mmCIF file of all heavy atoms in Angstrom:
data_model
loop_
_atom_site.group_PDB
_atom_site.id
_atom_site.type_symbol
_atom_site.label_atom_id
_atom_site.label_comp_id
_atom_site.label_asym_id
_atom_site.label_seq_id
_atom_site.Cartn_x
_atom_site.Cartn_y
_atom_site.Cartn_z
ATOM 1 N N ALA A 75 63.052 125.100 48.547
ATOM 2 C CA ALA A 75 61.695 125.625 48.592
ATOM 3 C C ALA A 75 61.687 127.150 48.523
ATOM 4 O O ALA A 75 60.864 127.751 47.822
ATOM 5 C CB ALA A 75 60.990 125.145 49.868
ATOM 6 N N TRP A 143 73.136 128.563 85.348
ATOM 7 C CA TRP A 143 74.164 129.239 84.553
ATOM 8 C C TRP A 143 74.888 130.324 85.350
ATOM 9 O O TRP A 143 76.074 130.570 85.119
ATOM 10 C CB TRP A 143 73.539 129.846 83.296
ATOM 11 C CG TRP A 143 73.316 128.829 82.223
ATOM 12 C CD1 TRP A 143 72.322 127.894 82.165
ATOM 13 C CD2 TRP A 143 74.120 128.625 81.066
ATOM 14 N NE1 TRP A 143 72.454 127.121 81.040
ATOM 15 C CE2 TRP A 143 73.547 127.548 80.343
ATOM 16 C CE3 TRP A 143 75.256 129.244 80.561
ATOM 17 C CZ2 TRP A 143 74.079 127.079 79.144
ATOM 18 C CZ3 TRP A 143 75.798 128.790 79.367
ATOM 19 C CH2 TRP A 143 75.223 127.716 78.674
ATOM 20 N N GLY A 151 70.659 132.359 96.201
ATOM 21 C CA GLY A 151 70.253 133.148 95.037
ATOM 22 C C GLY A 151 69.412 132.326 94.089
ATOM 23 O O GLY A 151 69.312 131.101 94.208
ATOM 24 N N ASP A 153 68.116 130.228 90.939
ATOM 25 C CA ASP A 153 68.841 129.193 90.193
ATOM 26 C C ASP A 153 68.527 129.210 88.698
ATOM 27 O O ASP A 153 68.988 128.331 87.968
ATOM 28 C CB ASP A 153 68.535 127.808 90.767
ATOM 29 C CG ASP A 153 67.064 127.402 90.596
ATOM 30 O OD1 ASP A 153 66.254 128.248 90.150
ATOM 31 O OD2 ASP A 153 66.726 126.248 90.918
ATOM 32 N N ASP A 170 60.595 153.668 78.375
ATOM 33 C CA ASP A 170 61.391 152.467 78.153
ATOM 34 C C ASP A 170 61.632 151.847 79.526
ATOM 35 O O ASP A 170 62.224 152.470 80.415
ATOM 36 C CB ASP A 170 62.708 152.856 77.491
ATOM 37 C CG ASP A 170 63.649 151.675 77.285
ATOM 38 O OD1 ASP A 170 63.255 150.534 77.599
ATOM 39 O OD2 ASP A 170 64.785 151.897 76.823
ATOM 40 N N GLY A 183 61.367 142.745 93.112
ATOM 41 C CA GLY A 183 62.679 142.259 92.701
ATOM 42 C C GLY A 183 62.649 141.260 91.575
ATOM 43 O O GLY A 183 63.594 140.478 91.403
ATOM 44 N N ALA A 189 59.578 140.898 84.770
ATOM 45 C CA ALA A 189 58.976 142.200 85.065
ATOM 46 C C ALA A 189 58.435 142.885 83.824
ATOM 47 O O ALA A 189 57.427 143.599 83.886
ATOM 48 C CB ALA A 189 60.003 143.100 85.750
ATOM 49 N N VAL A 260 79.586 117.952 39.172
ATOM 50 C CA VAL A 260 79.788 117.011 40.268
ATOM 51 C C VAL A 260 79.545 115.614 39.714
ATOM 52 O O VAL A 260 78.581 115.376 38.980
ATOM 53 C CB VAL A 260 78.850 117.299 41.463
ATOM 54 C CG1 VAL A 260 79.177 118.653 42.082
ATOM 55 C CG2 VAL A 260 77.382 117.250 41.068
ATOM 56 N N ILE A 274 74.925 124.916 45.136
ATOM 57 C CA ILE A 274 74.727 125.248 46.545
ATOM 58 C C ILE A 274 75.161 124.048 47.377
ATOM 59 O O ILE A 274 74.620 122.948 47.226
ATOM 60 C CB ILE A 274 73.274 125.630 46.832
ATOM 61 C CG1 ILE A 274 72.884 126.859 45.986
ATOM 62 C CG2 ILE A 274 73.073 125.918 48.313
ATOM 63 C CD1 ILE A 274 71.472 127.343 46.196
ATOM 64 N N PHE A 279 78.929 119.112 57.519
ATOM 65 C CA PHE A 279 80.302 119.281 57.962
ATOM 66 C C PHE A 279 81.306 118.810 56.906
ATOM 67 O O PHE A 279 82.453 119.263 56.884
ATOM 68 C CB PHE A 279 80.549 118.506 59.264
ATOM 69 C CG PHE A 279 79.918 119.127 60.485
ATOM 70 C CD1 PHE A 279 79.215 118.337 61.383
ATOM 71 C CD2 PHE A 279 80.033 120.481 60.748
ATOM 72 C CE1 PHE A 279 78.642 118.896 62.521
ATOM 73 C CE2 PHE A 279 79.466 121.047 61.873
ATOM 74 C CZ PHE A 279 78.771 120.255 62.770
ATOM 75 N N PRO A 317 52.261 117.327 80.751
ATOM 76 C CA PRO A 317 52.424 118.702 80.268
ATOM 77 C C PRO A 317 53.680 118.823 79.407
ATOM 78 O O PRO A 317 54.686 118.151 79.657
ATOM 79 C CB PRO A 317 52.554 119.517 81.558
ATOM 80 C CG PRO A 317 51.938 118.680 82.621
ATOM 81 C CD PRO A 317 52.203 117.260 82.230
ATOM 82 N N VAL A 360 76.737 112.235 83.267
ATOM 83 C CA VAL A 360 76.014 113.486 83.521
ATOM 84 C C VAL A 360 74.647 113.450 82.839
ATOM 85 O O VAL A 360 73.622 113.806 83.425
ATOM 86 C CB VAL A 360 76.834 114.697 83.037
ATOM 87 C CG1 VAL A 360 75.992 115.978 83.078
ATOM 88 C CG2 VAL A 360 78.092 114.867 83.876
ATOM 89 N N GLY A 399 78.819 125.867 55.675
ATOM 90 C CA GLY A 399 79.307 127.227 55.862
ATOM 91 C C GLY A 399 79.768 127.496 57.275
ATOM 92 O O GLY A 399 80.657 128.321 57.510
ATOM 93 N N LEU A 419 69.274 135.464 51.545
ATOM 94 C CA LEU A 419 70.246 136.283 50.814
ATOM 95 C C LEU A 419 70.461 135.772 49.391
ATOM 96 O O LEU A 419 70.523 136.558 48.440
ATOM 97 C CB LEU A 419 71.575 136.307 51.574
ATOM 98 C CG LEU A 419 71.590 137.067 52.904
ATOM 99 C CD1 LEU A 419 72.939 136.902 53.603
ATOM 100 C CD2 LEU A 419 71.279 138.542 52.680
ATOM 101 N N PRO A 425 71.978 136.737 41.437
ATOM 102 C CA PRO A 425 72.582 137.335 40.230
ATOM 103 C C PRO A 425 71.993 136.724 38.960
ATOM 104 O O PRO A 425 72.619 135.874 38.308
ATOM 105 C CB PRO A 425 74.066 137.000 40.391
ATOM 106 C CG PRO A 425 74.064 135.684 41.136
ATOM 107 C CD PRO A 425 72.874 135.725 42.052
ATOM 108 N N PHE A 466 86.004 124.469 83.379
ATOM 109 C CA PHE A 466 85.221 124.911 82.224
ATOM 110 C C PHE A 466 84.674 126.317 82.449
ATOM 111 O O PHE A 466 84.791 127.195 81.592
ATOM 112 C CB PHE A 466 84.077 123.916 81.986
ATOM 113 C CG PHE A 466 83.115 124.312 80.904
ATOM 114 C CD1 PHE A 466 83.415 124.095 79.571
ATOM 115 C CD2 PHE A 466 81.883 124.882 81.219
ATOM 116 C CE1 PHE A 466 82.519 124.447 78.559
ATOM 117 C CE2 PHE A 466 80.973 125.235 80.219
ATOM 118 C CZ PHE A 466 81.300 125.016 78.896
ATOM 119 N N ARG A 494 69.330 150.003 70.949
ATOM 120 C CA ARG A 494 69.248 149.555 69.557
ATOM 121 C C ARG A 494 70.414 150.092 68.724
ATOM 122 O O ARG A 494 70.811 149.472 67.724
ATOM 123 C CB ARG A 494 67.921 149.989 68.931
ATOM 124 C CG ARG A 494 67.695 151.482 68.863
ATOM 125 C CD ARG A 494 66.403 151.853 68.139
ATOM 126 N NE ARG A 494 66.201 153.288 68.081
ATOM 127 C CZ ARG A 494 66.807 154.080 67.196
ATOM 128 N NH1 ARG A 494 67.636 153.576 66.302
ATOM 129 N NH2 ARG A 494 66.584 155.381 67.208
ATOM 130 N N THR A 499 70.799 146.197 62.384
ATOM 131 C CA THR A 499 69.668 145.283 62.205
ATOM 132 C C THR A 499 69.945 144.186 61.195
ATOM 133 O O THR A 499 69.693 143.000 61.460
ATOM 134 C CB THR A 499 68.418 146.075 61.786
ATOM 135 O OG1 THR A 499 68.127 147.049 62.786
ATOM 136 C CG2 THR A 499 67.230 145.144 61.627
ATOM 137 N N ARG A 536 56.500 152.185 87.475
ATOM 138 C CA ARG A 536 56.014 151.237 88.485
ATOM 139 C C ARG A 536 54.606 150.739 88.138
ATOM 140 O O ARG A 536 54.304 149.545 88.265
ATOM 141 C CB ARG A 536 56.010 151.899 89.865
ATOM 142 C CG ARG A 536 57.369 152.045 90.499
ATOM 143 C CD ARG A 536 57.249 152.413 91.976
ATOM 144 N NE ARG A 536 58.567 152.662 92.546
ATOM 145 C CZ ARG A 536 59.093 153.875 92.696
ATOM 146 N NH1 ARG A 536 58.410 154.954 92.320
ATOM 147 N NH2 ARG A 536 60.289 154.016 93.226
ATOM 148 N N PHE A 539 54.828 148.222 85.306
ATOM 149 C CA PHE A 539 55.277 146.909 85.777
ATOM 150 C C PHE A 539 54.133 146.166 86.484
ATOM 151 O O PHE A 539 53.964 144.956 86.297
ATOM 152 C CB PHE A 539 56.468 147.067 86.725
ATOM 153 C CG PHE A 539 57.775 147.343 86.032
ATOM 154 C CD1 PHE A 539 58.519 148.473 86.343
ATOM 155 C CD2 PHE A 539 58.276 146.475 85.073
ATOM 156 C CE1 PHE A 539 59.734 148.733 85.719
ATOM 157 C CE2 PHE A 539 59.487 146.725 84.431
ATOM 158 C CZ PHE A 539 60.214 147.858 84.759
ATOM 159 N N CYS A 564 46.754 119.873 65.661
ATOM 160 C CA CYS A 564 46.884 118.594 64.960
ATOM 161 C C CYS A 564 45.535 118.083 64.449
ATOM 162 O O CYS A 564 45.478 117.337 63.467
ATOM 163 C CB CYS A 564 47.508 117.549 65.878
ATOM 164 S SG CYS A 564 49.253 117.840 66.250
#
Side-chain angles (χ1 to χ4, degrees):
W143 281 77
D153 65 353
D170 177 3
V260 295
I274 300 181
F279 287 134
V360 170
L419 291 175
F466 175 81
R494 62 176 180 80
T499 302
R536 285 193 185 98
F539 283 123
C564 290

